[in-house]
Amino acid sequence: MHKAILNKYVTQYIPKNKKGRKLKVPLWRIVKAIFHKIKTGVQWHLLPLKEFFGKTEISYQTVYYHYNKWCKKGIFQSIYNDLLFSYNHLLDCSLLNLDGSHTLAKKGGDQVGYQGRKKGKTTNLLVLSDKSGFPLSISEAISGQHNDLFNIKNLMSKMLDNILKITYSLDGLFLNADAGFDSKELKELLRGKRIVYNIDHNKRNTKSHTQEMDVIDNELYKLRFSVEQTNAWVDNYKSLNIRYMTSSRNWIQSHYVAFMSMFMRNRLKVNFNF
């Protein structure tokens, strides 16, 4: 069952190496072990290798080697984009929801910082979801001392460019965001992309608002709750719930592994247990 699922939805999108040592096991078994690690949060050296590879002698270092190599090349993000593009009829991109998350970072690493209102050092992340709350694109890792508007123009531009790989146009889309994203810079960017924004008001910015900017569609804004569901889904993946990875690149790519699993379960209705 896992073989058919992973070969159809994941491994077919992984570039095949023409050089190097030939794998002792099918590629889908390596991928299955990686899914298991991201879902359960188990340490690499404690992976149940016999469960995945039977009597074939494969070390956890081999699994990690492929995981790390694919993270460096952004393969997991590429696979996820290909998956969403192939099945974009299962998404509702008429409304985008923007939110930020703060993840506790236990072992430090790059893009880790301390914010006074948090219990420890964190890494931040921006998420764009569709109308139902399904994640479409995420930002680069952001050091925890920064707020949600840090480098917003650059980060948001990249996220929207990524969504263009899934859908054909941004023209006329609606976007919900909470008061933490109430900024002139972000609104100018969204207007330039012809996206209709519906951003809650930040009281500290009241004096700078024009009458037009003060208008918010409350019924549309109620649909923003779905992005909170996105964060709840991500929390079910133990490797992402608390950041133990010192590499922010690998941490970001691991989100796309989780998103693939979520998409197969919730959109493609594929039943499996990793």
Side-chain angles (χ1 to χ4, degrees):
M1 182 65 160
H2 288 170
K3 176 182 178 180
I5 293 171
L6 292 175
N7 282 340
K8 181 176 181 180
Y9 299 118
V10 182
T11 60
Q12 67 161 314
Y13 297 110
I14 298 176
K16 302 299 187 293
N17 288 334
K18 297 181 179 180
K19 298 180 180 180
R21 185 185 304 173
K22 187 177 180 181
L23 267 176
K24 296 180 181 179
V25 295
L27 198 59
W28 69 269
R29 292 188 178 274
I30 299 287
V31 173
K32 181 181 177 182
I34 293 171
F35 269 72
H36 178 83
K37 190 291 189 269
I38 303 304
K39 176 66 175 177
T40 65
V42 65
Q43 297 180 50
W44 288 105
H45 71 278
L46 294 178
L47 279 173
L49 298 176
K50 288 187 178 180
E51 177 182 335
F52 299 120
F53 307 112
K55 296 181 179 180
T56 306
E57 292 187 6
I58 292 289
S59 68
Y60 76 88
Q61 289 98 331
T62 299
V63 180
Y64 177 79
Y65 166 79
H66 285 88
Y67 161 80
N68 192 50
K69 178 178 69 173
W70 294 334
C71 284
K72 286 181 179 179
K73 295 181 178 181
I75 297 297
F76 294 120
Q77 180 180 359
S78 178
I79 294 173
Y80 185 63
N81 285 342
D82 287 339
L83 194 61
L84 293 189
F85 180 78
S86 298
Y87 297 94
N88 60 14
H89 61 282
L90 299 176
L91 302 169
D92 187 347
C93 296
S94 61
L95 172 65
L96 303 178
N97 290 300
L98 174 64
D99 196 22
S101 66
H102 304 261
T103 302
L104 193 64
K106 286 287 191 179
K107 290 190 174 182
D110 60 319
Q111 299 303 324
V112 171
Y114 182 73
Q115 190 178 95
R117 57 194 180 93
K118 301 296 179 181
K119 293 182 179 180
K121 291 184 177 181
T122 62
T123 300
N124 304 346
L125 190 68
L126 302 182
V127 180
L128 269 175
S129 72
D130 75 350
K131 185 177 181 179
S132 64
F134 203 84
L136 301 176
S137 184
I138 57 177
S139 70
E140 302 167 3
I142 307 164
S143 187
Q145 72 268 23
H146 300 298
N147 62 28
D148 288 336
L149 287 174
F150 174 75
N151 199 21
I152 188 65
K153 185 176 181 179
N154 179 48
L155 294 175
M156 192 66 178
S157 294
K158 290 180 179 179
M159 293 169 70
L160 292 173
D161 286 345
N162 194 57
I163 287 180
L164 279 173
K165 298 175 183 177
I166 302 164
T167 187
Y168 295 106
S169 174
L170 301 174
D171 193 359
L173 296 185
F174 291 88
L175 182 141
N176 276 329
D178 64 25
F181 294 96
D182 185 12
S183 80
K184 181 179 179 181
E185 185 179 23
L186 176 58
K187 290 178 178 179
E188 286 179 349
L189 170 66
L190 296 175
R191 282 198 294 268
K193 300 285 188 180
R194 301 179 65 85
I195 295 174
V196 182
Y197 56 78
N198 193 48
I199 302 176
D200 197 8
H201 309 141
N202 190 325
K203 294 180 180 178
R204 290 175 295 183
N205 297 340
T206 301
K207 293 182 180 179
S208 65
H209 281 302
T210 65
Q211 185 176 2
E212 182 273 328
M213 286 184 178
D214 279 336
V215 175
I216 181 171
D217 188 323
N218 290 316
E219 291 302 313
L220 185 66
Y221 189 75
K222 289 178 182 179
L223 299 177
R224 201 192 74 84
F225 80 92
S226 62
V227 78
E228 304 295 344
Q229 178 177 277
T230 307
N231 293 328
W233 285 339
V234 172
D235 285 346
N236 288 323
Y237 293 81
K238 303 303 181 184
S239 288
L240 306 179
N241 196 4
I242 296 177
R243 179 184 165 185
Y244 287 98
M245 304 175 193
T246 56
S247 167
S248 63
R249 176 202 62 220
N250 288 16
W251 182 69
I252 290 293
Q253 287 295 310
S254 294
H255 278 75
Y256 289 105
V257 176
F259 295 165
M260 280 187 268
S261 175
M262 291 159 52
F263 188 79
M264 288 188 284
R265 287 175 182 273
N266 300 330
R267 291 295 181 271
L268 299 175
K269 305 301 181 183
V270 174
N271 294 318
F272 57 83
N273 182 16
F274 292 123

